[in-house]
Amino acid sequence: MSFIATRSALRSQLRPSLARTFASTPAANAQSLKDRMAELIPKEIENVKAVRAAHGNKSFGEVTVDQAYGGMRGIKGLIWEGSVLDAEEGIRFRGLTIPEAQAKLPTAPGGSEPLPEGLFWLLLTGEVPTDEQVKGLSQEWAARAELPKFVEELIDRCPNTLHPMTQFSIAVNALNHDSAFAKAYSNGVHKREYWKTTFDDSMDLIAKLPNIAGRIFRNVFGDGKLPAIDANKDYSANLATLLGFGDNADFVELMRLYITIHSDHEGGNVSAHTGHLVGSALSDPFLSFAASLNGLAGPLHGLANQEVLRWVQKMRSQIGENASDEKVAEYVWSTLKGGQVVPGYGHAVLRKTDPRYTAQREFALKHLPEDPLFKLVGQIYKIVPNILLEAGKAKNPWPNVDAHSGVLLTYYGLHQQDFYTVLFGVSRAFGVVSQLIWDRALGMPLERPKSYSTEAIKKMFEGK
């Protein structure tokens, strides 16, 4: 047998032992996330029963014809446990605002931004984990990170001209090949046990996303060579290393913040709702999240940060650096008068500045206060809301998360804008799969809202 074949065989023998090795580490002596979920689920089932018994026949509110035609905007019709979006104060992750999450969630040694591992624990349990529990998650995800060989080959065979998000979706779909949930369902597992293999698949999915994203990035924009996952590093540090930025401590901190604030934004946005909808058909987490990615790839959702950066860069090229407020205002007005929107401003729900924008602005003020592009973004922040109010173009003239993220990424040298939505996708997995686990634990049904035709609506209101 050749050396390569021998090494391959040895790796195959060792791979199943990785999880067992993790189980013997000091960090694993703390209660695991799955064990904690097993404790919480029976209590939450009873809690849901009590809520339905007390409030099940009460109305959330009316649904208007305009809402039906307007993309179901504002219709109350979903259960989403991980986060709730308030129009005035922004997102709360299990009750915590972004500043509160930054203050309470564990950080890396020497770091100040929350670790996404802690945010995932919070989304699932509603509890702030310990440093030891977060370390255990980092190690478990590192142990689960290896991709099946055929998935690596599938990514490698994609042409460089295929959009990174398309490649991302293809690879995630392909992970369905090894779905623990699909196998258990096929074997007739009891529905009360659905959540356990959904949890296992979800952990595998999150763990493998950095390798998928890194492989796509290196193939499309680099030499195709990928470093190994480091079991001693946290999730964001490994992702940064796979992208080629692991030696920059500030970029690693940015990834920790980026993943945390992009992870979840309640259940009505396209990517979250799509994952929930497809998952309600008992599709496994890989198929469900691949569907989320396809929604996230759209210009009205995850692609927006890319559009913002291009608009800002085009503005700078036309009016120059250190332009006056008057020049910036003229450019904004020219955008509006040209029949275009100002990208990155306005939100379907929010009516104040997005706290995710604020968190990124504070990061920039700390790490890159003199960057010319950041200064321009700050100038735009000062000018655009008043113009939008004067033009009557927006109920919410304030910036959202997309108005800032591209500037941070490009500052650290990540100029490949077509890849930005992939990073968004890595982040959004945390919220989508945490809810999917709870959907299975609570026995949530197939989603099937009622629809009407335009003619049916006309008949409905005839003579009224």
Side-chain angles (χ1 to χ4, degrees), residues 44 60-61 92 246 367 383:
E44 187 58 22
F60 260 156
R92 281 183 177 267
H367 295 283
I383 293 169

Side-chain angles (χ1 to χ4, degrees), residues 101-119:
Q102 288 176 293
K104 294 184 178 183
L105 290 176
T107 60
S112 60
E113 298 298 343
L115 290 166
E117 291 90 328
L119 190 278

Side-chain angles (χ1 to χ4, degrees), residues 175-228:
L175 291 175
N176 152 268
H177 180 273
D178 297 325
S179 168
F181 174 81
K183 181 178 180 180
Y185 186 85
S186 179
N187 290 336
V189 66
H190 194 284
K191 61 183 179 181
R192 283 198 299 267
E193 305 296 308
Y194 285 173
W195 78 269
K196 293 180 180 178
T197 46
T198 299
F199 179 95
D200 292 336
D201 279 353
S202 298
M203 291 288 280
D204 273 342
L205 172 64
I206 290 176
K208 296 178 191 305
L209 292 181
N211 260 335
I212 293 174
R215 198 171 196 90
I216 293 169
F217 185 81
R218 299 271 184 157
N219 283 353
V220 175
F221 306 111
D223 59 8
K225 297 178 181 178
L226 202 66

Side-chain angles (χ1 to χ4, degrees), residues 26-28 30 104-109 115 117-118 121 128-139:
K104 294 184 178 183
L105 290 176
T107 60
L115 290 166
E117 291 90 328
W121 190 292
V128 173
T130 65
D131 290 341
E132 190 177 37
Q133 288 168 329
V134 163
K135 182 180 179 181
L137 265 185
S138 296
Q139 292 176 332

Side-chain angles (χ1 to χ4, degrees), residues 353-383:
T353 297
D354 190 337
R356 299 173 299 174
Y357 176 94
T358 304
Q360 292 179 102
R361 177 171 172 78
E362 290 173 351
F363 183 94
L365 287 169
K366 178 179 179 181
H367 295 283
L368 48 137
E370 300 304 319
D371 176 61
L373 206 57
F374 166 60
K375 286 184 175 181
L376 179 56
V377 167
Q379 200 174 6
I380 293 168
Y381 180 34
K382 180 175 67 174
I383 293 169

Side-chain angles (χ1 to χ4, degrees), residues 149-171:
K149 187 65 177 176
F150 83 94
V151 175
E152 292 182 346
E153 293 173 350
L154 192 61
I155 298 170
D156 292 345
R157 290 179 67 86
C158 289
N160 289 349
T161 52
L162 187 62
H163 196 285
M165 276 298 280
T166 308
Q167 297 187 44
F168 198 20
S169 177
I170 289 170

